[in-house]
């Protein structure tokens, strides 16, 4: 894309200033961008399950805010001169597979998915942001939209469970499947994207005598994933959906 052009359909805005990124930074932006895109698509799709028009409008507003998050990542890629599509391509298949495997089939599962994915994204940012410079930490943060999505999903899901307690069994099963799918696809990405794995691993606290190298980086990412799964389990337990 020529330096003075912008993606089709985007309003003219001041140029984005590229932030300093270490090795693996393009891959970090790529996986973030693909996450934002997939989350937007699934959130938009979930509107068809909304029980009221007000709920449908609320979902549309949240999806619009989600896409603004995608635009922020896309603008940063563009500022570095990295084609957006090419940068996201490596993560399209695993994250599309995750979306397909966890596609909601009704309003309660749509809200549970929103709540759990928002929680995982927020926990990921919280675990890493302290070790990275403020511009990078701000970029990986899901931002206020994550809290809005989680708040809406928590309220509507709690109401669904109050109206029909028998939903708890199927929702608990869905939550376990989502965790397994998320863990599997993250491990797949970590094994394939070496520079991204090393970048993420560099922000995970480790003992001073910890080994270095590819295997050590994979081990550090495994520790991070275990912590994310613990947070997932706590969210399920708060909803009364613990296994």
């Amino acid at each position: 894309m020529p330096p003075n052009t912008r993606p089709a359909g985007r309003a003219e805005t001041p140029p984005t200033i590229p932030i300093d990124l270490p090795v693996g930074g393009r891959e970090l932006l790529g996986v973030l961008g693909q996450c934002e895109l997939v989350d937007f698509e699934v959130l938009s799709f979930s509107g068809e399950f909304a029980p009221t028009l007000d709920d449908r409008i609320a979902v549309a507003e949240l999806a619009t805010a989600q896409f603004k998050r995608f635009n922020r990542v896309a603008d940063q890629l563009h500022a570095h001169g990295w084609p957006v599509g090419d940068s996201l391509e490596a993560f399209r298949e695993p994250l599309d597979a995750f979306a397909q495997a966890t596609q909601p089939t009704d309003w309660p599962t749509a809200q549970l998915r929103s709540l759990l994915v928002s929680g995982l994204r927020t926990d990921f940012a919280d675990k890493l942001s302290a070790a990275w410079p403020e511009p990078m930490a701000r970029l990986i943060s899901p931002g206020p939209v994550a809290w809005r999505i989680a708040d809406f999903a928590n309220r509507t899901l709690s109401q669904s469970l109050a109206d029909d307690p028998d939903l708890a069994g199927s929702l608990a099963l869905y939550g376990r499947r989502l965790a397994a799918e998320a863990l599997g696809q993250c491990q797949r990405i970590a094994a394939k994207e070496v520079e991204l794995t090393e970048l993420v691993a560099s922000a995970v606290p480790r003992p001073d005598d910890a080994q270095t190298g590819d295997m050590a980086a994979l081990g550090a990412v495994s520790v991070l994933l275990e912590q994310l799964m613990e947070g997932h389990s706590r969210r399920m337990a708060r909803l009364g959906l613990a296994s």
Side-chain angles (χ1 to χ4, degrees):
M1 182 179 292
N4 292 324
T5 63
R6 302 193 64 78
R10 294 290 302 280
E12 195 67 31
T13 58
T16 298
I17 299 174
I19 65 173
D20 290 332
L21 292 171
V23 174
R26 179 179 181 178
E27 290 73 18
L28 179 65
L29 292 178
V31 72
L32 287 175
Q34 187 64 20
C35 283
E36 301 290 1
L37 182 60
V38 168
D39 287 351
F40 161 75
E41 291 171 338
V42 176
L43 189 58
S44 299
F45 169 78
S46 71
E48 72 176 56
F49 301 123
T52 70
L53 188 55
D54 285 341
D55 287 330
R56 187 173 177 180
I57 292 170
V59 168
E61 290 175 340
L62 292 171
T64 300
Q66 183 75 52
F67 198 73
K68 289 180 180 178
R69 288 277 311 149
F70 169 80
N71 281 336
R72 190 171 79 167
V73 176
D75 285 345
Q76 190 61 223
L77 284 165
H78 179 64
H80 280 274
W82 297 326
V84 175
D86 291 349
S87 300
L88 273 59
E89 182 62 37
F91 309 101
R92 179 175 64 169
E93 199 279 329
L95 291 175
D96 280 357
F98 171 71
Q100 183 174 5
T102 61
Q103 190 81 335
T105 56
D106 54 31
W107 183 243
T109 55
Q111 296 314 301
L112 182 58
R113 187 192 189 282
S114 292
L115 182 63
L116 296 177
V117 170
S118 177
L120 288 171
R121 295 281 305 278
T122 300
D123 286 352
F124 175 81
D126 288 346
K127 296 291 183 183
L128 302 183
S129 59
W132 284 345
E134 195 274 337
M136 275 185 65
R138 187 170 64 250
L139 190 63
I140 67 168
S141 171
V145 65
W147 295 106
R148 291 173 55 198
I149 290 171
D151 178 67
F152 179 80
N154 190 64
R155 286 187 287 106
T156 55
L157 184 58
S158 296
Q159 185 61 56
S160 294
L161 285 166
D163 293 341
D164 184 3
D166 290 341
L167 287 172
S170 61
L171 289 176
L173 182 62
Y174 176 87
R176 290 194 293 272
R177 186 170 78 249
L178 184 143
E181 290 290 341
L183 186 60
Q185 295 301 343
C186 285
Q187 290 171 334
R188 179 181 175 187
I189 291 171
K192 183 179 180 181
E193 300 295 329
V194 176
E195 291 183 345
L196 174 62
T197 297
E198 291 178 348
L199 175 59
V200 171
S202 70
V204 179
R206 284 181 282 178
D208 293 337
D209 58 351
Q211 293 181 336
T212 59
D214 291 350
M215 294 305 296
L218 285 171
V221 170
S222 294
V223 170
L224 173 63
L225 292 175
E226 289 176 6
Q227 294 171 345
L228 296 183
M229 290 301 104
E230 289 171 359
H232 170 89
S233 296
R234 286 192 294 270
R235 276 183 288 276
M236 292 287 288
R238 284 195 293 270
L239 290 165
L241 302 177
S243 57

